[in-house]
């Protein structure tokens, strides 16, 4: 398996030269502790942990998988020791309030940490990663007693958390949830039902697991209007946070999966388990969206993680492996053949991986600043501020999750392709990246669900196109600021056309959907991918503008780094951005070619 090296140079380029994180942190309430020196020290220490502790157990964890016996789940060799080091380092509480034992740093620091950890070992990262959503949900919707009872141990990492949504009869359609919750005399509830596909649902890494569970009260209205949210610990907890007897939450089985095999995906049976209502009755789905949006952004990180991971594996191989001669003549005449990197199609694959990893990283790092502002609203109890930034971030969420995971999967597959037949066998590790990446397009809402969320809920219903107009307005401002720069004009011209077309397509779909509701469904995937490619283009242009400036005026890196940025941006605009043309044409086609075939005519005999 290729060794992992944290891309600190690129991370610092984005933080310090593109998005000015030092200024951003200085303007955040409580962000004064996130000084450049402090941030650099944290990045260096996290990189060391990821490179030396997590990456070495990635392949072995995949080969061994999780074990299930006598109702208990155990993780692969080395995972518990790695988690103990994680807790000892205080990593779980990095961006949580000091009142709960955290370090109180901005939320974005957690995303930077998650990227390195996820790239080094995604299966391991899921255990503490799922817990973050649990913590966010309790912080935003829990009462003071619930926060005092559960948050300190969760922030420390002594306990971990999960989200329990899916049931055998329902996945995305949570209106079909059947798990029941019955009120007890002491104010607690007894929950009964079965949940499936519960990532990190059980394991041996910590002493307790706190489940966030969707269930129905006896008098609940039907559908999504009748779902409530509950805290259900694996071991019961008193008001002072002391653990008691085992709660009747049992593991029915663990799934045997295509990838992320070292992450335990469980069937959980709740047999009269004690739980506590969090948030208002019948408002559980609204509260759970705190968890779901956190998880979706985390899953978007998986897209760039697997692109980066696969690129780091493919690049050394392309430089070392020799096959045939370059079409323009011998590049290494003293060798039996030229290295793969001299072949144009191999360069296409490597540049695609690089463009996805670095462009996607830029998108997430910008969105992370929006999340910081949103977190200020949570911390200060300012719902108006929270809602403002949550709406801003809401436009990014389906694009980040849907598009970056699709492109991350593409990049992981390209890594296998660079290796040829060697990429298909286990010893090189490339096939694991592709298997692990596959789930990212499925959980936390499939790509189709993200597409409907973007076009249907965020663009058409929620804002009547305003969110697109606002984002393309930012593109227009950028273009006006850079049009006088001759080096930037090719990027500015293409971005101007994209911004105009994006608004045109939005209006066309809006008008057609008034007459044919199926238009939303048939156009949504093309609209999502178009939006993702357009957004990537904007962020690649921003990076190119900074790189041109640093080449002229000096920057933190050597000139070759900035030249590579510009060349990757040129590759993206020339070779990947044109994909928008087919998506633009496809989304406006009549719905009849998809919808007119009768269901009974979908057959194979």
């Amino acid at each position: 398996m290729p060794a992992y090296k944290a891309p600190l140079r690129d991370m610092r380029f984005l933080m310090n030269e593109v998005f000015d994180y030092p200024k951003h942190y200085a303007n955040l309430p409580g962000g004064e502790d996130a000084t450049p020196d402090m941030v650099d020290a944290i990045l260096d220490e996290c990189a060391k942990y990821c490179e030396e502790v997590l990456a070495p157990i990635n392949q072995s964890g995949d080969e061994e998988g999780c074990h299930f016996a006598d109702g208990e789940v155990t993780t692969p060799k080395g995972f518990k020791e790695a988690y103990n080091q994680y807790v000892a380092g205080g990593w779980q509480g990095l961006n949580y309030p000091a009142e709960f034992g955290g370090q109180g740093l901005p939320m974005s620091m957690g995303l930077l940490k998650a990227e390195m950890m996820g790239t080094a070992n995604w299966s391991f990262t899921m255990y503490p990663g799922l817990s973050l959503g649990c913590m966010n949900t309790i912080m935003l919707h829990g009462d003071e007693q619930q926060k005092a009872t559960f948050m300190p141990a969760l922030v420390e990492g002594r306990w971990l958390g999960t989200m329990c949504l899916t049931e055998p009869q329902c996945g995305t359609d949570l209106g079909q949830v059947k798990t029941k919750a019955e009120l007890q005399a002491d104010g607690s509830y007894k929950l009964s039902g079965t949940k499936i596909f519960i990532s990190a649902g059980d394991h041996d890494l910590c002493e307790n697991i706190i489940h966030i569970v969707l269930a129905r009260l006896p008098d609940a209205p039907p559908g999504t209007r009748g779902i409530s949210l509950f805290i259900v610990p694996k071991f019961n907890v008193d008001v002072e946070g002391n653990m008691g007897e085992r709660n009747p939450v049992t593991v029915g089985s663990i799934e045997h999966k295509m990838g992320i095999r070292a992450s335990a995906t469980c069937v959980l049976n709740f047999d009269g388990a004690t739980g506590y209502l969090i948030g208002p009755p019948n408002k559980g789905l609204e509260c759970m969206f705190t968890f779901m949006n956190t998880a979706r952004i985390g899953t978007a990180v998986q897209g760039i993680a697997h692109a980066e991971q696969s690129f780091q594996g493919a690049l050394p191989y392309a430089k070392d492996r020799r096959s045939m001669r370059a079409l323009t003549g011998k590049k290494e005449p003293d060798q039996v053949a030229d290295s793969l990197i001299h072949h144009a199609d191999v360069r296409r694959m490597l540049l695609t991986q690089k463009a996805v990893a670095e462009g996607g990283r830029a998108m997430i790092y910008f969105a992370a600043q929006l999340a910081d502002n949103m977190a200020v609203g949570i911390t200060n109890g300012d719902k108006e501020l929270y809602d403002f930034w949550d709406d801003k971030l809401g436009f990014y969420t389906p694009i980040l999750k849907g598009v970056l995971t699709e492109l991350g999967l593409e990049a992981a597959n390209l890594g296998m392709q660079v290796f040829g037949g060697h990429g298909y066998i286990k010893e090189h590790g490339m096939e694991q990246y592709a298997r692990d990446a596959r789930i990212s397009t499925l959980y936390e809402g499939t790509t189709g669900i993200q597409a409907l969320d973007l076009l249907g809920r965020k663009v058409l219903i929620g804002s009547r196109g305003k969110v697109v107009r606002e984002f393309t307005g930012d593109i227009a401002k950028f273009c006006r600021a850079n049009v006088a720069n001759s080096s930037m004009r090719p990027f500015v011209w293409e971005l101007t056309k994209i911004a105009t077309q994006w608004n045109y397509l939005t209006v066309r779909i809006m008008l057609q959907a008034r007459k044919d509701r199926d238009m939303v469904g048939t156009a949504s995937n093309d609209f999502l991918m178009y939006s993702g490619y357009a957004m990537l283009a904007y962020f690649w242009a921003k990076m190119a503008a900074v790189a041109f400036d640093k080449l002229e005026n000096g920057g933190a890196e050597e000139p070759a780094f900035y030249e590579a940025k510009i060349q990757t941006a040129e590759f993206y605009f020339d070779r990947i951005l044109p994909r928008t043309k087919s998506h633009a044409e496809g989304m406006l086609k009549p719905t009849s070619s998809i919808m007119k075939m009768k269901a009974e005519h979908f057959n194979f005999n």
Side-chain angles (χ1 to χ4, degrees):
M1 163 126 350
Y4 169 65
K5 188 69 176 175
L8 293 175
R9 202 166 55 151
D10 194 56
M11 295 170 70
R12 288 181 171 126
F13 165 71
L14 291 174
M15 295 178 69
N16 299 327
E17 298 184 317
V18 178
F19 299 125
D20 198 356
Y21 264 65
K23 180 180 179 181
H24 167 70
Y25 284 155
N27 290 331
L28 285 178
E32 60 273 2
D33 290 336
T35 63
D37 288 344
M38 172 67 79
V39 171
D40 278 346
I42 290 172
L43 293 179
D44 288 338
E45 196 62 29
C46 187
K48 181 179 178 182
Y49 171 70
C50 293
E51 292 167 3
E52 298 179 3
V53 179
L54 296 188
I57 58 173
N58 189 26
Q59 188 172 29
S60 61
D62 174 73
E63 292 173 352
E64 181 182 349
C66 292
H67 305 277
F68 177 62
D70 301 322
E72 301 290 337
V73 177
T74 53
T75 52
K77 182 180 178 180
F79 272 50
K80 188 170 179 60
E81 293 77 9
Y83 185 72
N84 289 339
Q85 291 186 51
Y86 176 83
V87 173
W91 292 111
Q92 191 72 335
L94 187 68
N95 54 281
Y96 284 89
E99 65 180 293
F100 301 125
Q103 299 174 47
L105 292 171
M107 180 178 284
S108 55
M109 289 299 299
L111 279 172
L112 304 179
K113 172 198 72 177
E115 184 205 336
M116 286 190 278
M117 289 180 59
T119 311
N121 191 325
W122 189 262
S123 288
F124 176 91
T125 304
M126 289 185 69
Y127 292 101
L130 266 296
S131 195
L132 300 179
C134 170
M135 294 153 69
N136 291 346
T137 302
I138 293 174
M139 277 187 59
L140 187 60
H141 302 291
D143 59 33
E144 293 306 311
Q145 182 60 65
Q146 290 169 339
K147 293 175 187 178
T149 300
F150 296 103
M151 286 300 294
L154 287 166
V155 169
E156 183 183 348
R158 284 191 294 113
W159 300 351
L160 288 173
T162 74
M163 52 189 276
C164 299
L165 289 74
T166 304
E167 299 183 4
Q169 77 284 351
C170 70
T172 301
D173 185 4
L174 294 172
Q176 298 184 47
V177 163
K178 293 181 178 179
T179 298
K180 297 179 180 179
E182 297 184 353
L183 180 64
Q184 305 299 298
D186 62 358
S188 67
Y189 292 79
K190 294 293 185 183
L191 276 75
S192 300
T194 297
K195 298 290 183 177
I196 65 171
F197 298 159
I198 308 306
S199 298
D202 194 64
H203 50 78
D204 59 347
L205 299 182
C206 63
E207 63 184 36
N208 204 1
I209 301 173
I210 309 303
H211 303 291
I212 303 294
V213 186
L214 287 180
R216 290 188 181 280
L217 297 171
D219 59 350
T224 57
R225 295 181 298 109
I227 299 176
S228 299
L229 194 62
F230 299 86
I231 303 172
V232 183
K234 177 179 177 178
F235 289 92
N236 285 317
V237 180
D238 65 22
V239 293
E240 295 179 351
N242 300 310
M243 288 171 49
E245 75 280 359
R246 177 75 180 259
N247 214 357
V249 181
T250 58
V251 184
S253 64
I254 60 173
E255 304 296 347
H256 302 281
K257 308 188 296 287
M258 174 182 178
I260 56 168
R261 298 183 62 250
S263 170
T265 304
C266 304
V267 174
L268 293 183
N269 297 313
F270 296 81
D271 301 307
T274 298
Y276 309 93
L277 181 69
I278 179 170
N282 303 323
K283 298 293 184 181
L285 200 58
E286 296 175 24
C287 296
M288 181 62 90
F289 267 109
T290 303
F291 205 145
M292 292 169 65
N293 285 330
T294 304
R296 284 173 178 175
I297 295 172
T299 307
V301 172
Q302 187 177 359
I304 63 169
H306 288 304
E308 177 70 35
Q309 193 179 44
S310 191
F311 176 68
Q312 289 196 15
L315 181 60
Y317 187 83
K319 291 181 176 180
D320 294 340
R321 178 76 170 183
R322 304 185 186 284
S323 181
M324 301 180 290
R325 293 296 184 185
L327 295 178
T328 53
K330 294 180 180 180
K331 303 300 181 185
E332 299 168 284
D334 296 335
Q335 301 294 335
V336 65
D338 291 330
S339 299
L340 290 176
I341 201 166
H342 295 296
H343 299 301
D345 194 54
V346 173
R347 283 173 166 258
R348 174 190 62 82
M349 293 187 283
L350 292 171
L351 281 166
T352 299
Q353 292 178 303
K354 182 176 172 65
V356 170
E358 296 177 11
R361 182 176 294 120
M363 289 168 64
I364 287 178
Y365 282 27
F366 178 80
Q369 293 184 328
L370 303 182
D372 282 338
N373 294 327
M374 184 183 74
V376 171
I378 296 175
T379 303
N380 295 343
D382 188 337
K383 189 176 186 304
E384 184 176 346
L385 182 67
Y386 166 79
D387 288 341
F388 175 82
W389 290 108
D390 185 48
D391 286 344
K392 290 281 187 183
L393 188 61
F395 175 64
Y396 284 81
T397 300
I399 298 174
L400 293 174
K401 197 284 179 184
V403 176
L404 292 185
T405 57
E406 289 288 348
L407 295 182
L409 176 60
E410 177 185 342
N413 282 317
L414 288 175
M416 289 179 62
Q417 195 76 11
V418 170
F419 273 72
H422 290 284
Y424 195 65
I425 60 178
K426 285 184 176 293
E427 65 183 271
H428 295 291
M430 302 303 288
E431 56 84 35
Q432 181 191 337
Y433 301 158
R435 287 188 290 106
D436 286 354
R438 188 64 186 89
I439 187 61
S440 65
T441 67
L442 303 175
Y443 57 14
E444 308 307 335
T446 63
T447 304
I449 293 300
Q450 306 305 321
L452 285 172
D453 179 45
L454 175 65
L455 180 57
R457 194 159 73 92
K458 304 289 175 54
V459 174
L460 299 183
I461 298 175
S463 72
R464 297 185 61 80
K466 180 182 177 183
V467 287
V468 174
R469 292 193 298 272
E470 287 180 346
F471 189 84
T472 54
D474 291 339
I475 293 177
K477 291 178 185 176
F478 172 83
C479 290
R480 287 194 296 271
N482 288 275
V483 69
N485 184 341
S486 60
S487 299
M488 285 296 299
R489 281 178 193 156
F491 302 111
V492 167
W493 174 238
E494 290 300 322
L495 276 179
T496 301
K497 291 192 294 183
I498 282 287
T500 303
Q501 186 181 46
W502 199 354
N503 281 291
Y504 166 76
L505 293 169
T506 302
V507 173
R508 280 288 304 274
I509 293 172
M510 192 181 304
L511 293 174
Q512 289 180 233
R514 290 178 180 177
K515 301 176 182 178
D516 184 354
R517 292 289 183 88
D518 279 330
M519 187 70 184
V520 180
T522 60
S524 60
N525 186 269
D526 282 313
F527 187 87
L528 173 73
M529 297 307 297
Y530 180 99
S531 300
Y533 288 127
M535 187 176 282
L536 269 168
Y538 171 59
F539 283 103
W540 265 114
K542 286 177 73 72
M543 288 189 283
V546 172
F548 278 120
D549 176 70
K550 299 304 178 184
L551 282 175
E552 182 177 349
N553 300 308
E557 299 293 338
E558 71 276 10
F561 175 87
Y562 300 114
E563 290 168 357
K565 280 291 176 190
I566 294 165
Q567 290 162 358
T568 309
E570 291 170 344
F571 168 82
Y572 181 84
F573 272 75
D574 282 352
R575 299 285 175 166
I576 298 181
L577 186 58
R579 297 180 186 184
T580 55
K581 295 178 181 178
S582 62
H583 289 298
E585 183 175 349
M587 72 178 77
L588 296 181
K589 292 298 183 183
T591 64
S592 58
S593 58
I594 291 178
M595 303 305 299
K596 69 181 177 181
M597 184 181 291
K598 295 180 179 179
E600 58 268 25
H601 292 167
F602 282 85
N603 59 56
F604 49 84
N605 56 19

